[in-house]
Amino acid sequence: MMRAVVVRSFGGPEVLETVEVPVPETGVGQVRVRVEAAGVNPVDVATRAGALVEIGLAERRDVHGIGWDLAGVVEEVGAGVTGFAPGDRVAGLSDRLDLSLGAYAEQIVLDADALALIPDNVTAVQAATLPLNSLTADQALDLLDLSEGQTVLVTGAAGAVGGYAVELAVLRGLRVVAVAGQADEELVRGFGAEFFVPRGADLGSAVRKPVPGGVDGAVDAAVVGGAALTAVRNGGSFVAVLDGVAPRPLRGTRVSNVWIRADGTRLAELAALAGAGRLSLRVADTLPLDEAAQAHERLGKGGLRGRLVLLP
């Protein structure tokens, strides 16, 4: 048996339950991981509150697993798995919404292609902050399909997704206009942003001053919506991080949502970048698995820089 945090009824942090469940079995093409660290993300709050069911992204179940991000050690590999062996240090993404166990658990079984080896100089706690947010940022930039030298606006640039979007855009040779709170200007410029616009500014006007005509694309990590679209040039591209908040494609812009998917191959490349110091792994704090409710309370208060991480 093992411990896991689950949701049986939707509501506030108090509905998170730590329960004893059987250790999951490893199937063909799967890997069982002993979880050493699990990241706490806004999507976990949405799961707990029932928002994903309300908007039709998940079906109502008797028990919902919770948690997407994890890092740990391989315990067992299933038939047909190559590239992983017991004892390997890995990070992974649990991206299915139909399971009764998530990353908030002592052990988890994932498809092998959702996992990546992590460098020796990256701790499990650090690695657990990487999969969901860096892959979301990376896949959003893929959707923008910009070329080296073009400009990209990143809202929420001091946040987890936004911070990775800035750093990854710079690595792609893009020029970044970062939007964040005034106090975070030094932080986002440290990520490589060339231009800074304080949160709350008239984005259409503020962005077009340093970038006449508007940016070539935008990653809307802060869910600004139409206000961010005003900063994009005619015929540019715009990616919304959350479903249901993408603005209308005015002025011939190409508007899309990023739908995160596990990608172990790309995650391995991102982990290598983190190990080389080219991506920032930001940990706000760690808490025991049994204090998942407290972690959700702290996340709900806002103001964190980096992710909270649960330790099973």
Side-chain angles (χ1 to χ4, degrees):
M1 300 292 285
M2 69 172 197
R3 292 180 306 138
V5 176
V6 300
V7 175
R8 299 181 193 274
S9 60
F10 299 134
E14 71 281 355
V15 305
L16 296 174
E17 298 181 53
T18 302
V19 298
E20 291 280 336
V21 296
V23 174
E25 297 183 359
T26 306
V28 176
Q30 293 185 317
V31 175
R32 180 159 53 85
V33 177
R34 174 168 49 84
V35 179
E36 295 184 329
V40 179
N41 291 286
V43 68
D44 303 337
V45 174
T47 299
R48 183 207 76 216
L52 300 185
V53 171
E54 289 179 6
I55 62 177
L57 290 182
E59 297 292 329
R60 186 68 173 94
R61 301 169 54 86
D62 291 336
V63 178
H64 291 264
I66 190 164
W68 290 53
D69 278 336
L70 65 116
V73 177
V74 172
E75 288 276 289
E76 181 180 75
V77 298
V81 173
T82 59
F84 298 105
D88 284 345
R89 301 176 63 245
V90 294
L93 184 69
S94 177
D95 63 355
R96 289 177 55 185
L97 301 177
D98 61 327
L99 301 178
S100 57
L101 288 176
Y104 292 14
E106 291 182 322
Q107 298 196 46
I108 189 171
V109 168
L110 293 176
D111 292 340
D113 60 9
L115 292 166
L117 298 173
I118 56 178
D120 290 340
N121 64 335
V122 174
T123 68
V125 169
Q126 292 173 321
T129 69
L130 184 68
L132 176 62
N133 296 292
S134 68
L135 284 170
T136 298
D138 195 60
Q139 291 168 17
L141 290 168
D142 286 344
L143 288 170
L144 287 183
D145 194 25
L146 301 180
S147 301
E148 185 174 351
Q150 288 191 291
T151 51
V152 59
L153 174 71
V154 178
T155 68
V161 173
Y164 284 131
V166 173
E167 291 184 314
L168 289 168
V170 171
L171 288 173
R172 294 177 184 226
L174 303 177
R175 303 173 66 199
V176 178
V177 182
V179 180
Q182 188 69 64
D184 289 316
E185 179 175 0
E186 182 178 354
L187 175 69
V188 299
R189 286 193 183 276
F191 291 156
E194 182 176 350
F195 308 107
F196 175 79
V197 175
R199 185 173 57 238
D202 180 340
L203 291 183
S205 300
V207 171
R208 289 167 186 263
K209 287 180 181 178
V211 186
V215 293
D216 298 298
V219 175
D220 188 19
V223 198
V224 174
L229 186 67
T230 64
V232 179
R233 66 169 172 80
N234 292 359
S237 54
F238 181 103
V239 175
V241 170
L242 296 183
D243 179 42
V245 296
R248 296 290 182 90
L250 303 175
R251 297 176 289 106
T253 52
R254 180 168 53 85
V255 174
S256 56
N257 278 100
V258 56
W259 294 100
I260 178 67
R261 66 186 184 281
D263 183 345
T265 299
R266 182 56 177 156
L267 181 57
E269 295 170 348
L270 295 170
L273 288 171
R278 303 180 75 184
L279 285 183
S280 301
L281 300 174
R282 294 181 290 160
V283 178
D285 200 359
T286 61
L287 298 90
L289 181 66
D290 291 340
E291 295 182 12
Q294 291 91 319
H296 277 225
E297 289 175 359
R298 289 180 60 180
L299 181 61
K301 292 177 181 177
L304 294 172
R305 288 295 171 259
R307 282 286 177 243
L308 297 170
V309 178
L310 297 175
L311 306 179

